[in-house]
Amino acid sequence: IVITVTNGSTTCANTLSVTAPDCSCPVVAAPGVASGDLAYCVGDTIPTISVGVNSGETVDWYSIASGGTAISTGSLSYQPASLGSGVTTFYAQARNITTGCTSSTRRAVSITQYAVPAAPTVSAIAYCQNDTASALSASGTNLLWYTAATGGAGSTTAPTPSTATVGTTSYYVSQTNANGCESPRSEIEVTINALPTAPTVSDVAYCQNDTASALSASGTNLLWYAVASGGTGNATAPTPSTVTVGTTSYHVTQTNANGCEGPRSEIVVTVYPQPTAPTVSDLAYCQDDTASALSASGTNLLWYTVATGGTGSTTAPTPNTTTVGTTSYYVTQTNANGCESLRSEIVVTINALPTAPTVSDVAYCQNDTANALSASGTNLLWYTAATGGTGSATAPIPSTATVGITSYYVSQTNANGCESLRSEIEVTINALPTAPGVTSPVEYCQNDTASALSASGTNLLWYTVASGGTGNATAPTPSSTTAGDTSYYVSQTNANGCEGPRSEIVVTIHPLPTISTSSSPTCSTDLTTYSVSVNVNTGTVTSTAGTVTDNGS
């Protein structure tokens, strides 16, 4: 054996003679299988392969089936520092520790490196608080679910997030391929968003058949429901029906920017019954009557001048009776719920007045026999005063006892019961003149020539009777033919045509005396001394002196 040593620039060589020993080796068997072929996934710890040998033997490891240089010696196991993808085969050769003899063949042991699948495809999830959550899902195969980013034991059952608490929770998921290699974990963030509060609402009340408005609530992105839970919300607010009396519940939610819908607020819509229209009666007045305020049977009345619209007044109107015609007034009643009835119509008719009756004033003389008053008209009513009082259908008969003027009043009433203005009838009672001044008795001798009677007065009327009869404006001339007493009567009439009481004039016709003589006077008789005797029926002889007139014989 030549041994050469180099030291710097100097090379030294020496020759050693060695006797070769007997190097024949006993047979060494190839290693037996211990771990067998192994596999791992990228990222996992590379597995350690191992083989078994006989006692006193060890193992050298090669990357090729024969030859080459051992990559590891003296160990029954081998863990590669790194491997490429796919199958890598290592070869174990048994070696006798004492003799150094090796097995003639090497045991092949392979390690397969499997690729790791990609992490599952996932999406973050958001729920609203208290939503019903679904089990998480991911796009992949043979999924394993974790609650942590690393470590822990995966579950093949996808978790169902809890939505009770607002916040964000991370869940993790991997997928495993057919080689059993688990991918990296994908994170799924589950966000539980807070719910908005229920909208602020107020209950609503309507009266039956009112015109309702769409419901309203204080909130954003409102959704309206007809039920307390379930159903499909409508973004359009409902308008309640007021046709039927009763209560109806409507429900509304608001939705925040996260799309979370809050609890439902209930709006109770009450439809109160409408009261009946008040009981009324049409009215009729006569023109210029004093009208009373209108009335109706009902409560909480409201008065209108139009059939619809307008503003009602709690004060009942008093119709104007100035103008003839008809006017409609309207009235409602309101119940305790504030519901107003339909309007009842009151027709107020103002009937025209008839004209005042046609009348004439009347004049009587005191103590005349008066007639009942009269007027031209229908349904006459008689009064003693210009206004007020109670009319009588019986025409009055004026009293003529007292001199003066008395007014009577009369109206007429038409078919509508309207009474006209009153016409005034003045009844004048004129004073009687006094009885004429007369001289009574008026005496005549029978067969005297009488003069027409006379009296002191104006517009004299002469009568032959104390009462009654017909007066004559020509004063009578008494007849003196017959002796006796005759009464004549005379009245005077004043400028008013009133005839006064009669004055009596007694006209006395005295009979002529009867004269008797014993003899007729003679021529030789002294006429101055001639005496006669007188037979006087009545009266007293006042003179007996007389003259005898020469009769010419």
Side-chain angles (χ1 to χ4, degrees):
I1 299 173
V2 179
I3 299 173
T4 300
V5 178
T6 300
N7 184 6
S9 61
T10 302
T11 300
C12 296
N14 196 5
T15 303
L16 175 64
S17 297
V18 179
T19 299
D22 182 7
C23 291
S24 59
C25 292
V27 176
V28 177
V33 175
S35 63
D37 294 335
L38 297 177
Y40 78 101
C41 299
V42 173
D44 284 354
T45 301
I46 297 174
T48 298
I49 53 178
S50 61
V51 292
V53 294
N54 295 322
S55 177
E57 295 176 345
T58 188
V59 174
D60 296 323
W61 294 89
Y62 294 87
S63 59
I64 54 178
S66 63
T69 302
I71 56 177
S72 175
T73 59
S75 175
L76 298 179
S77 60
Y78 175 66
Q79 182 181 31
S82 62
L83 290 174
S85 61
V87 178
T88 302
T89 302
F90 296 92
Y91 300 91
Q93 186 172 37
R95 176 170 55 86
N96 187 290
I97 296 173
T98 302
T99 64
C101 294
T102 60
S103 62
S104 59
T105 58
R106 298 174 183 174
R107 171 68 65 184
V109 181
S110 63
I111 297 176
T112 302
Q113 183 190 71
Y114 293 118
V116 174
T121 301
V122 296
S123 299
I125 297 175
Y127 284 105
C128 297
Q129 192 174 16
N130 300 320
D131 274 359
T132 299
S134 300
L136 297 178
S137 65
S139 176
T141 57
N142 301 316
L143 300 176
L144 286 176
W145 296 89
Y146 300 87
T147 58
T150 59
S155 171
T156 56
T157 302
T160 299
S162 168
T163 61
T165 304
V166 172
T168 302
T169 302
S170 289
Y171 296 83
Y172 302 88
V173 61
S174 67
Q175 64 174 325
T176 302
N177 59 19
N179 294 316
C181 291
E182 186 177 2
S183 71
R185 300 179 187 181
S186 294
E187 182 182 11
I188 301 176
E189 285 189 344
V190 177
T191 301
I192 308 302
N193 292 310
L195 298 180
T197 57
T200 301
V201 297
S202 297
D203 291 337
V204 179
Y206 285 104
C207 298
Q208 192 174 15
N209 298 320
D210 274 359
T211 299
S213 300
L215 296 179
S216 64
S218 177
T220 56
N221 302 315
L222 300 176
L223 286 176
W224 296 88
Y225 298 85
V227 289
S229 61
T232 302
N234 192 322
T236 301
T239 299
S241 168
T242 62
V243 174
T244 304
V245 171
T247 58
T248 303
S249 287
Y250 296 83
H251 304 269
V252 61
T253 65
Q254 63 173 326
T255 302
N256 59 21
N258 293 317
C260 291
E261 185 179 5
R264 300 182 186 183
S265 293
E266 180 183 17
I267 300 177
V268 177
V269 176
T270 302
V271 178
Y272 291 115
Q274 188 178 46
T276 57
T279 301
V280 297
S281 296
D282 292 338
L283 295 177
Y285 285 102
C286 298
Q287 190 174 15
D288 298 324
D289 274 358
T290 299
S292 299
L294 297 179
S295 64
S297 176
T299 56
N300 301 317
L301 299 177
L302 285 176
W303 297 89
Y304 298 85
T305 57
V306 288
T308 59
T311 301
S313 171
T314 56
T315 302
T318 299
N320 182 337
T321 62
T322 302
T323 304
V324 172
T326 59
T327 303
S328 287
Y329 297 84
Y330 303 87
V331 62
T332 66
Q333 65 173 325
T334 303
N335 60 19
N337 293 317
C339 292
E340 186 176 3
S341 70
L342 295 175
R343 300 181 186 182
S344 294
E345 180 182 13
I346 300 176
V347 177
V348 177
T349 301
I350 309 301
N351 292 309
L353 297 181
T355 58
T358 302
V359 296
S360 297
D361 291 336
V362 178
Y364 285 103
C365 297
Q366 190 174 16
N367 299 320
D368 275 359
T369 299
N371 296 315
L373 297 177
S374 65
S376 176
T378 56
N379 301 316
L380 299 176
L381 285 176
W382 296 88
Y383 298 86
T384 58
T387 59
T390 301
S392 171
T394 302
I397 298 174
S399 168
T400 62
T402 304
V403 171
I405 298 174
T406 302
S407 288
Y408 295 83
Y409 302 89
V410 63
S411 68
Q412 66 172 325
T413 302
N414 61 18
N416 292 318
C418 291
E419 186 176 1
S420 71
L421 296 175
R422 299 179 188 182
S423 294
E424 181 181 11
I425 300 176
E426 285 190 346
V427 177
T428 302
I429 309 300
N430 293 308
L432 298 179
T434 59
V438 297
T439 299
S440 181
V442 174
E443 296 179 311
Y444 285 103
C445 291
Q446 194 172 13
N447 297 320
D448 276 355
T449 299
S451 298
L453 297 176
S454 65
S456 176
T458 57
N459 301 315
L460 298 177
L461 284 176
W462 296 90
Y463 298 87
T464 58
V465 289
S467 63
T470 301
N472 194 319
T474 303
T477 298
S479 169
S480 62
T481 301
T482 304
D485 291 332
T486 303
S487 286
Y488 294 86
Y489 302 89
V490 62
S491 68
Q492 65 173 326
T493 301
N494 60 19
N496 294 317
C498 291
E499 185 180 2
R502 300 179 187 180
S503 294
E504 182 182 13
I505 300 175
V506 177
V507 176
T508 301
I509 305 299
H510 295 289
L512 295 177
T514 302
I515 302 173
S516 60
T517 63
S518 58
S519 61
S520 299
T522 62
C523 293
S524 59
T525 304
D526 184 358
L527 291 177
T528 59
T529 60
Y530 186 78
S531 65
V532 295
S533 62
V534 178
N535 181 18
V536 178
N537 293 328
T538 60
T540 301
V541 176
T542 58
S543 174
T544 57
T547 300
V548 177
T549 303
D550 182 3
N551 60 9
S553 59

